[in-house]
Amino acid sequence: MQNYFEHIFDYLDGTLPPEEKHLFEAELQVNQDLRKETARQRDLQAILRKQIRAEDKIIPLNSTLTEVGDAYFKKKDRVRILRWLLPVTVAACLLVVFRFWSDPAFEKLPGMPSATQRGDRGDATYEQAVKAYNEGDYPASILHLSALAAAEEPPARYTYYLGLSYLGKKEYAAAARELREVAEGKSVFAPDACYFLGVAFWKTKQNVEAGAYLERVPQSSSYYEKAQKLNKRLRP
Amino acid sequence: MLINIRNFLFLQGTIVSYMHDDQRFITYLQQNDHRGISQIYQLFAPKIIQMIRHNSGTPADAADVMQEALVSIYKMCSEREFVLSCPFEAFFVMVCKRKWFSMLKKRSGSPVTNSLDNGYTIEKENMEAKELADQLEREDALMRVLDTMGKTCRDIIRGCMGKDPQEKVAERLGYTYAYLRKKKSECLTQLGKLVREHPLFKL
């Protein structure tokens, strides 16, 4: 055996013939460099063997780690989102409640005075219309008021309350048709008709038209403030 | 001080190693134990996240670092004979810290804003944890060096260090047995030289 270093791998693999193995081991006793290099190669191969053999099991382990890691970190994310979301949700709810409370009921209809209240004699149809309207029975009030409004040159109040009845029944196009007639006229109902016409347009998302009529509600009208508020809300 | 004698490993009546109670965490990895691995995350992830966030990282970085560290730990401790002689936490945190430091160095745009030792100073970790982390780093480095070698050497070393007998490896790679043994010696010698040049690896 001339060069012992060439035989380190055979020695470590256990493939040296017995006689050569004996010679090699004898040399190991006296040759420090050979001893060092043999130990180095033994350690190196032990690590390589361990690391390479472990690789077979890395795929299932990685799969478990991914699963467990995802579950852990997503749970943390969810907690973090909840921590952030909770106050935002509460604030949003409070805002909605606040707006609900602070909003005037834009569609709230005025009462319809009876002929007696107005000092008029009136007729039975009108009184039936008043009764139906004030009780919220808008189909009936529409029926009676339509009959009254069909007369030649009917008083504006018939058309006005007919328009309001349609509004109460949520038939906004019909409400707009009747109320426009009053709003464009010169009766005392015209300013209030402008307001309710604005509401009818707002309900059908015709904001430009709604704004135009709401702006026409004069300060003297009891609906002036509501008109201003609704008009402000319509602006983008 | 009370010491549990069952934790000592004896060889011919001599104490050769001390097994820490945290050995179970190594067993969880060795056995790919889902519940045990969940426990590792529950117990140690908050500290890793804190350490990484403190050093310019995010929880997502912490997730990557933890997974990589656990794979490296598994590879190092994959043999059943492995004995953990220090607290798992000290070892695990140190491995994660080094891996994160290495990632930060790779990300040129992410300077280290705080000392990596913040919150986890060396005084808190015992020397055995440090020695284990050093060994893990060397083993990682060795495998990286192997990956830089030519395909022939990589195939031969990987084949010969696997579970199959060398005759079968020679057949699979299309070499004669004699040629495989000759090439294996050359490749291992070359790997030994490359490793000696690596600053981390001094066997």
Side-chain angles (χ1 to χ4, degrees):
Chain A
M1 191 177 276
Q2 293 295 312
N3 190 342
Y4 287 96
F5 286 85
E6 285 179 3
H7 298 281
I8 290 174
F9 300 105
D10 291 337
Y11 173 72
L12 291 175
D13 281 351
T15 54
L16 275 181
E19 197 180 323
E20 289 189 20
K21 184 186 170 194
H22 180 73
L23 284 171
F24 188 90
E25 284 176 342
E27 182 67 16
L28 274 180
Q29 298 293 320
V30 294
N31 189 333
Q32 198 183 345
D33 288 343
L34 180 66
R35 207 162 49 237
K36 254 173 118 175
E37 188 54 31
T38 304
R40 199 194 302 271
Q41 270 300 335
R42 183 186 284 115
D43 289 344
L44 190 76
Q45 290 188 36
I47 294 169
L48 285 169
R49 204 168 285 119
K50 179 182 68 180
Q51 289 272 336
I52 288 166
R53 291 181 183 186
E55 284 174 3
D56 292 345
K57 291 183 181 169
I58 288 302
I59 293 173
L61 177 67
N62 247 329
S63 164
T64 305
L65 291 173
T66 304
E67 199 179 310
V68 173
D70 283 356
Y72 180 84
F73 282 93
K74 276 178 188 163
K75 191 176 162 193
K76 273 193 79 72
D77 279 351
R78 279 199 297 274
V79 171
R80 201 165 36 246
I81 287 167
L82 275 178
R83 276 187 197 148
W84 171 82
L85 203 60
L86 192 65
V88 171
T89 309
V90 169
C93 289
L94 286 174
L95 189 66
V96 167
V97 169
F98 174 76
R99 284 193 70 137
F100 178 77
W101 279 337
S102 64
D103 260 2
F106 292 119
E107 299 155 77
K108 192 183 175 193
L109 300 174
M112 185 175 172
S114 71
T116 317
Q117 281 173 305
R118 288 173 50 84
D120 294 344
R121 228 180 63 202
D123 58 27
T125 308
Y126 183 79
E127 289 309 317
Q128 284 171 334
V130 170
K131 188 171 180 292
Y133 176 93
N134 287 335
E135 286 174 356
D137 183 2
Y138 299 116
S141 68
I142 288 168
L143 194 71
H144 300 309
L145 287 165
S146 296
L148 291 168
E152 199 174 328
E153 292 189 18
R157 69 171 182 278
Y158 292 168
T159 314
Y160 175 65
Y161 287 107
L162 179 59
L164 295 187
S165 294
Y166 280 121
L167 203 57
K169 206 182 163 201
K170 301 188 191 311
E171 288 185 17
Y172 300 113
R177 184 187 65 228
E178 304 300 331
L179 290 168
R180 190 197 298 268
E181 196 181 315
V182 182
E184 298 299 342
K186 289 181 180 170
S187 72
V188 291
F189 294 101
D192 292 358
C194 282
Y195 171 75
F196 284 108
L197 185 54
V199 171
F201 282 129
W202 167 58
K203 294 305 287 184
T204 51
K205 302 193 190 312
Q206 299 176 76
N207 291 350
V208 178
E209 291 83 348
Y213 281 99
L214 290 168
E215 277 173 14
R216 282 171 56 182
V217 179
Q219 270 186 310
S220 57
S221 167
S222 56
Y223 290 104
Y224 175 74
E225 279 188 22
K226 276 180 153 186
Q228 293 293 308
K229 273 191 178 177
L230 181 55
N231 198 19
K232 198 173 171 186
R233 183 185 283 193
L234 295 177
R235 287 183 198 135
Chain B
M1 183 179 151
L2 287 172
I3 297 172
N4 186 353
I5 199 157
R6 284 176 304 176
N7 284 5
F8 286 95
L9 297 183
F10 292 89
L11 184 64
Q12 293 175 339
T14 309
I15 295 170
V16 291
S17 187
Y18 169 76
M19 182 189 285
H20 196 277
D21 282 338
D22 285 355
Q23 177 80 23
R24 68 182 187 283
F25 296 117
I26 300 297
T27 309
Y28 295 152
L29 292 173
Q30 286 172 335
Q31 296 179 351
N32 192 12
D33 181 331
H34 194 285
R35 190 177 290 184
I37 289 170
S38 296
Q39 203 183 334
I40 293 175
Y41 274 83
Q42 294 293 335
L43 289 171
F44 308 118
K47 289 174 184 175
I48 306 300
I49 294 168
Q50 184 194 347
M51 183 267 291
I52 286 177
R53 288 182 80 161
H54 191 74
N55 289 282
S56 320
T58 64
D61 293 323
D64 292 344
V65 165
M66 278 187 71
Q67 184 158 345
E68 206 177 291
L70 287 170
V71 167
S72 290
I73 290 172
Y74 165 72
K75 282 184 179 174
M76 191 176 91
C77 313
S78 59
E79 290 175 339
R80 295 210 173 272
E81 304 80 50
F82 177 85
V83 172
L84 182 73
S85 53
C86 66
F88 182 78
E89 181 180 337
F91 172 43
F92 183 45
V93 170
M94 190 174 275
V95 172
C96 286
K97 189 166 65 178
R98 290 181 181 190
K99 285 201 176 284
W100 176 235
F101 183 65
S102 165
M103 280 186 193
L104 276 181
K105 273 181 19 183
K106 282 181 196 163
R107 293 182 191 176
S108 53
S110 290
V112 182
T113 52
N114 293 293
S115 161
L116 279 167
D117 283 334
N118 277 351
Y120 289 95
T121 55
I122 194 75
E123 289 78 24
K124 287 184 186 173
E125 298 158 343
N126 65 45
M127 286 309 291
E128 285 176 79
K130 187 183 175 301
E131 279 170 25
L132 275 179
D134 288 347
Q135 176 65 16
L136 185 141
E137 240 178 339
R138 282 195 293 267
E139 293 192 13
D140 276 357
L142 170 63
M143 298 312 287
R144 283 200 301 276
V145 170
L146 173 64
D147 285 341
T148 64
M149 297 179 82
K151 188 176 183 309
T152 307
C153 275
R154 278 202 320 265
D155 289 347
I156 288 172
I157 291 173
R158 283 187 174 278
C160 291
M161 297 298 148
K163 286 174 186 166
D164 290 338
Q166 294 188 25
E167 290 85 349
K168 206 173 171 183
V169 176
E171 194 185 324
R172 193 172 67 229
L173 295 177
Y175 303 138
T176 61
Y177 177 62
Y179 180 78
L180 178 83
R181 287 190 57 76
K182 182 173 171 283
K183 280 299 288 181
K184 177 190 157 193
S185 299
E186 286 172 12
C187 292
L188 282 171
T189 304
Q190 190 192 340
L191 179 63
K193 279 182 189 167
L194 289 170
V195 158
R196 261 197 296 274
E197 289 162 12
H198 197 286
L200 274 176
F201 209 98
K202 284 175 183 152
L203 284 169

